[in-house]
Amino acid sequence: MKKVLFFVAAICLVSSAAFAGPFDKFNDKMNSASDSLAKHYLNNLASDMSAVMTGGNYGVSIGLGTLRFSASAKINAVNVDNEIMRADGTSTLVVPMINAALGLPYDFELLAKYGYLYGTNIYGAGLRYNVYDSDVIFIPSVTVQGVYTMANVRSGSNKLDANNLALGAIATFPVPYVTPYVGLGWDRTKVKDKSSIHEGMTGSADGFSYGFGVSVSILMINGNAGVTYTDGVPNYTLGLNVGF
């Protein structure tokens, strides 16, 4: 039993080391930068946080089930290249996320999401509207959506706030059992310094994204995989969806 506990503890320690916080060098980089350079850092950070915070937004709006509710567990692999995360040796972020949808009257769905990023909670909510519902394989069903997402980063003494507004449209093709989808969107992300000598400074980024993927449905279980390009950089999503 002691050996098992030791092994589990070792795995936890290795995992903690492997997933060191990507914001651990935030204060160091910002404190050593001029105002103009600090602004540049924040703008680039906002651009990468855009991909983090919109991760999992695209996907298939499957049948919500009897209770008109569905939930998805997703893993997003996000490529990043901003100076603050590079200083910590971070090039890829792995972000687990839960997305949920609740059917409302008049073809609306209420959306909610929760993600976890190295000690940081990511919350989001929004609405989706079913513009057109198709039963023909070569004619897509079309939905539009808007999602607002927030993250409050607290990594030791390194602190920043981020928010994102994402608007998008998704077309799904009703192929039996295997449903392809494509999506197109625009979003705006803002980050605010809360801890360095530039406290209060904000950075922002506007971006367009597009993505495509496929879902495979067996009874009430729906697996999905997709790729989203944000400013040309690919981010990958794997998920499992259940409707009730």
Side-chain angles (χ1 to χ4, degrees):
M1 178 60 72
K2 290 183 178 179
K3 290 182 178 180
V4 173
L5 293 175
F6 176 80
F7 178 76
V8 172
I11 291 295
C12 291
L13 288 174
V14 170
S15 299
S16 298
F19 294 102
F23 304 101
D24 287 351
K25 300 294 184 181
F26 178 78
N27 285 345
D28 290 344
K29 291 293 290 185
M30 294 293 289
N31 288 340
S32 63
S34 64
D35 286 350
S36 60
L37 187 56
K39 184 76 170 181
H40 176 75
Y41 288 165
L42 289 177
N43 288 340
N44 287 347
L45 179 60
S47 180
D48 281 342
M49 287 298 291
S50 167
V52 171
M53 299 177 77
T54 59
N57 279 9
Y58 290 156
V60 175
S61 179
I62 66 167
L64 298 180
T66 304
L67 300 180
R68 295 181 55 75
F69 176 81
S70 70
S72 302
K74 296 183 177 182
I75 294 290
N76 302 308
V78 182
N79 297 310
V80 294
D81 192 36
N82 64 84
E83 295 84 355
I84 290 170
M85 293 182 182
R86 269 209 319 257
D88 198 57
T90 300
S91 60
T92 302
L93 300 177
V94 178
V95 187
M97 190 163 289
I98 296 173
N99 295 68
L102 176 66
L104 300 176
Y106 305 108
D107 294 322
F108 282 96
E109 293 176 26
L110 179 64
L111 306 177
K113 61 189 293 187
Y114 170 76
Y116 187 78
L117 174 63
Y118 305 93
T120 299
N121 296 306
I122 301 172
Y123 300 96
L127 282 176
R128 177 187 290 144
Y129 178 67
N130 185 13
V131 177
Y132 180 75
D133 194 10
S134 171
D135 293 323
V136 181
I137 291 177
F138 299 106
I139 300 177
S141 299
V142 179
T143 60
V144 294
Q145 64 185 38
V147 181
Y148 183 76
T149 307
M150 298 181 296
N152 302 113
V153 176
R154 301 294 183 266
S155 179
S157 61
N158 302 277
K159 301 177 182 179
L160 62 135
D161 292 341
N163 63 75
N164 171 274
L165 175 64
L167 306 176
I170 299 127
T172 61
F173 296 84
V175 180
Y177 303 110
V178 179
T179 305
Y181 70 86
V182 294
L184 179 67
W186 170 90
D187 73 283
R188 168 168 290 177
T189 305
K190 293 183 179 180
V191 296
K192 185 175 184 179
D193 186 336
K194 301 289 287 186
S195 60
S196 83
I197 62 172
H198 301 286
E199 183 175 355
M201 180 180 288
T202 61
S204 62
D206 296 344
F208 287 93
S209 61
Y210 62 93
F212 55 89
V214 64
S215 72
V216 179
S217 299
I218 301 175
L219 299 177
M220 293 178 64
I221 300 177
N222 175 282
N224 56 79
V227 57
T228 301
Y229 290 85
T230 303
D231 293 330
V233 179
N235 305 304
Y236 303 94
T237 299
L238 288 174
L240 187 66
N241 182 294
V242 178
F244 300 96

